[in-house]
Amino acid sequence: MNSKVDKYFSNAEKWGEELEQLRTILLDCGLDEELKWGSPCYSFQNNNIAIIGELKESCVIGFFKGVLLSDAHGILVQPGENTQSARSVHFTSAGQIREMEPVLKEYIYEAIEVEKAGLEVPFKKTSEFSVPEEFQRKLDEMPALKKAFEALTPGRQRGYLLHFSAPKQSKTREARIEKCMQQILDGKGLND
């Protein structure tokens, strides 16, 4: 246990008991515990394996390379439609976690083996994401915007492309682009 992480558990709003159970399971599997991105994160030889947290309707354990797990029990869920690597398991009671403990340990040990084997998730390249026509027009009209966008990290570029592509209406896409232009020009990502 990492004493720096203890505060997270003492401040848990709704799922304290459940999060403590997940913590115990992860530590029983020999993982190291740190606080990353504001949540308890568990690693093996400095490679992230899992993260736990609370949502409104559930608490969750997320596997960073969950897409590479066999999911023999069919419990892994893709957190969002654009999530390429992570997969998660949601819980709504301590009893549920107790029942699932052997299965969770099986998944954790498999995730450790994925790291030991050096397996990598084949991520979709930024060039494979579609550029909304409204954004492409802006890039063509403003060389400085194009240069700034191309200077962003691939992850930041993908974040903007997904954000700009999400609305169904052109005027909403245009409004999002207008709102984010200065941020792009400043070299910042969508959530910076």
Side-chain angles (χ1 to χ4, degrees):
M1 286 190 183
N2 182 333
S3 60
K4 293 179 183 176
V5 184
D6 290 339
K7 187 174 181 179
Y8 176 89
F9 292 99
S10 63
N11 291 335
E13 292 181 21
K14 184 176 180 182
W15 304 103
E17 180 184 354
E18 291 83 358
L19 290 168
E20 287 283 0
Q21 283 182 300
L22 290 172
R23 179 188 203 187
T24 300
I25 292 168
L26 286 154
L27 291 173
D28 283 351
C29 292
L31 298 177
D32 296 320
E33 181 180 62
E34 297 177 66
L35 197 63
K36 292 185 178 180
W37 307 286
S39 295
C41 184
Y42 299 86
S43 61
F44 174 78
Q45 296 178 347
N46 295 319
N47 293 303
N48 294 331
I49 299 291
I51 193 165
I52 60 176
E54 59 182 346
L55 305 171
K56 286 181 185 176
E57 303 299 322
S58 64
C59 67
V60 63
I61 179 172
F63 292 94
F64 287 93
K65 292 183 180 178
V67 71
L68 299 178
L69 302 179
S70 63
D71 195 14
H73 301 275
I75 61 172
L76 296 176
V77 176
Q78 185 176 0
E81 67 179 77
N82 295 308
T83 304
Q84 296 182 59
S85 180
R87 296 296 181 266
S88 59
V89 184
H90 296 254
F91 299 97
T92 56
S93 74
Q96 223 181 359
I97 295 170
R98 272 191 298 280
E99 287 176 24
M100 291 287 295
E101 183 173 346
V103 172
L104 285 175
K105 285 185 174 183
E106 182 182 318
Y107 279 58
I108 294 163
Y109 288 128
E110 183 181 357
I112 292 169
E113 291 304 315
V114 163
E115 285 305 325
K116 284 181 179 177
L119 300 179
E120 295 293 331
V121 175
F123 288 106
K124 193 173 163 183
K125 303 269 186 258
T126 302
S127 59
E128 296 176 61
F129 286 80
S130 63
V131 178
E133 63 182 67
E134 297 85 355
F135 187 51
Q136 187 60 58
R137 266 197 311 275
K138 282 288 183 196
L139 294 173
D140 294 342
E141 291 169 7
M142 300 177 63
L145 181 65
K146 182 176 182 175
K147 183 178 179 183
F149 183 74
E150 290 172 349
L152 294 173
T153 63
R156 287 182 171 140
Q157 289 178 8
R158 286 190 299 271
Y160 280 117
L161 292 176
L162 291 170
H163 181 64
F164 297 155
S165 298
K168 293 179 183 171
Q169 294 186 5
S170 178
K171 83 175 173 186
T172 308
R173 288 190 295 272
E174 288 173 358
R176 284 188 177 190
I177 292 163
E178 287 295 325
K179 186 177 179 184
C180 293
M181 282 177 30
Q182 190 57 53
Q183 224 172 320
I184 294 170
L185 290 167
D186 292 342
K188 295 181 177 179
L190 186 62
N191 298 312
D192 291 347

